[in-house]
């Protein structure tokens, strides 16, 4: 299709509205322009095509034979466009909302509260993708990420960051690991991931030497919290992740000073997005 060979879309819309309503004035009201603007657009279309499309009859207009043919073609064409746009909107509305986040925040804080979100927004499907790694949300096709950001974080130019809460990082373990005694924190077994430079940095700021750490590796980040509850080692976790375990007595807080406060945030790619994405981000602000 050669767009430059077609009349202007505004002129076609003016004629289509006139044909549907039989009046320049009524077409103007529908299009939110003056009837003079509609009249001028239709006359310009007739000049462009070199054929009369309408006949004036007092305050109304009737279509010529050529006008009838064009009106039918526009009805089919605009109808196809409208149907295509509605199908696209419906498909986007049904598309699963993809959210990447850490294993712990997904399992302990977001998933247990999802029924509350669905009660407010029925029909919005949400798929959480827990991962210990930070992913490129735009490249990987995610609608948003829930991240823990260290102090000094800066907002990337291609992302919108919505802070949710400031949460302290804690050192925790099962009560059986300390047995009501003041532990030697350097000598304790610590559950640390295979490659965790961030954890090593936090240990360094507290005075614990990461190089002499008694590391317990459980093979999967999905098992670390369970291993900690079972007394296999201590670990670092944000307060929001271990809150329920602390309240229930399954874990206790260790006296490790110097740990930072992190910012949990919803991170969204800039640009156009579905209403459901903002609905989920707004809901996250209510649960943190």
């Amino acid at each position: 299709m050669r767009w430059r060979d077609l009349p202007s879309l505004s002129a076609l819309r003016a004629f289509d509205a006139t044909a549907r309503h039989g009046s320049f004035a009524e077409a103007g009201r529908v299009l939110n322009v003056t009837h003079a603007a509609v009249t001028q657009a239709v006359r310009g279309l007739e000049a462009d095509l070199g054929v009369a499309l309408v006949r004036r009859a007092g305050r109304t207009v009737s279509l010529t034979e050529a006008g009838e043919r064009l009106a039918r073609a526009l009805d089919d064409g605009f109808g196809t466009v409208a149907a295509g746009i509605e199908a696209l909107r419906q498909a986007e509305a049904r598309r699963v909302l993809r959210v990447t986040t850490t294993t712990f925040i997904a399992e302990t804080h977001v998933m247990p509260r999802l029924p509350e979100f669905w009660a407010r927004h029925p029909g919005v499907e949400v798929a959480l993708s827990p991962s210990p790694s930070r992913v490129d949300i735009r490249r990987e096709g995610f609608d948003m990420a829930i991240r823990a950001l260290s102090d000094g974080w800066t907002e990337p130019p291609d992302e919108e960051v919505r802070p949710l809460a400031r949460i302290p990082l804690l050192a925790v373990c099962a009560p059986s690991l300390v047995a009501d005694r003041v532990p030697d924190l350097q000598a304790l077994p610590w559950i640390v991931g295979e490659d965790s430079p961030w954890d090593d940095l936090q240990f360094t700021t507290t005075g614990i030497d990461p190089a002499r750490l008694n590391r317990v590796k459980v093979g999967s980040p999905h098992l670390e919290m369970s291993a900690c509850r079972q007394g296999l080692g201590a670990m670092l976790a944000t307060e929001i992740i271990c809150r329920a375990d602390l309240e229930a007595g399954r874990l206790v807080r260790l006296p490790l000073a110097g740990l930072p406060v992190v910012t949990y945030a919803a991170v969204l790619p800039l640009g156009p997005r579905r209403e459901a994405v903002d609905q989920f981000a707004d809901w996250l602000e209510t649960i943190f």
Side-chain angles (χ1 to χ4, degrees):
M1 179 171 55
R2 295 170 49 140
W3 285 99
R4 65 184 180 183
D5 294 337
L6 294 177
S8 73
L9 181 59
S10 59
L12 293 173
R13 288 180 64 230
F15 172 74
D16 178 69
T18 301
R20 290 175 183 275
H21 299 283
S23 163
F24 291 135
E26 186 60 30
R29 280 191 286 273
V30 171
L31 299 176
N32 198 29
V33 298
T34 66
H35 77 278
V38 176
T39 302
Q40 183 178 2
V42 173
R43 294 309 181 204
L45 180 61
E46 290 178 321
D48 187 15
L49 298 177
V51 62
L53 299 173
V54 299
R55 300 188 189 90
R56 278 197 106 117
R59 295 186 176 182
T60 63
V61 296
S62 60
L63 301 181
T64 65
E65 182 180 347
E68 292 280 3
R69 291 200 302 271
L70 180 58
R72 287 194 294 271
L74 291 179
D75 185 60
D76 291 342
F78 287 148
T80 299
V81 170
I85 291 173
E86 182 60 23
L88 178 62
R89 285 174 172 161
Q90 292 296 325
E92 280 297 285
R94 292 191 298 268
R95 185 166 62 84
V96 174
L97 187 67
R98 299 186 66 219
V99 182
T100 177
T101 186
T102 65
T103 301
F104 298 140
I105 202 66
E107 291 182 352
T108 64
H109 198 70
V110 179
M111 286 185 63
R113 293 168 174 81
L114 272 179
E116 176 188 330
F117 173 76
W118 285 322
R120 298 185 188 184
H121 305 285
V124 178
E125 292 189 59
V126 179
L128 296 177
S129 182
S131 171
S133 304
R134 179 167 176 163
V135 302
D136 185 321
I137 53 179
R138 188 181 299 276
R139 185 177 61 197
E140 299 296 329
F142 286 100
D143 293 290
M144 75 170 65
I146 305 170
R147 292 177 180 156
L149 308 174
S150 301
D151 280 342
W153 62 272
T154 56
E155 189 160 330
D158 60 342
E159 293 177 344
E160 176 188 350
V161 179
R162 298 189 186 182
L164 301 172
R166 296 268 294 162
I167 306 292
L169 185 69
L170 307 179
V172 297
C173 70
S176 60
L177 196 64
V178 291
D180 297 325
R181 59 184 171 83
V182 178
D184 179 351
L185 298 181
Q186 180 71 65
L188 275 181
W190 287 90
I191 299 169
V192 183
E194 292 290 330
D195 182 18
S196 54
W198 187 83
D199 280 344
D200 287 352
L201 176 62
Q202 310 316 313
F203 283 123
T204 300
T205 62
T206 66
I208 291 180
D209 183 359
R212 296 191 298 116
L213 209 61
N214 179 12
R215 297 174 183 261
V216 176
K217 299 177 181 179
V218 297
S220 169
H222 297 271
L223 301 176
E224 289 174 0
M225 184 64 74
S226 177
C228 185
R229 294 189 192 103
Q230 294 174 37
L232 299 184
M235 67 180 294
L236 300 180
T238 55
E239 184 274 337
I240 200 170
I241 288 171
C242 54
R243 182 181 298 164
D245 288 307
L246 290 171
E247 292 174 350
R250 292 185 292 268
L251 296 176
V252 295
R253 182 174 177 176
L254 294 170
L256 185 60
L259 291 172
V261 175
V262 302
T263 299
Y264 276 99
V267 182
L268 303 89
L270 292 178
R273 54 181 176 249
R274 295 175 290 156
E275 182 182 14
V277 177
D278 285 306
Q279 289 172 340
F280 193 75
D282 292 343
W283 172 74
L284 287 174
E285 293 180 6
T286 69
I287 68 169
F288 275 83

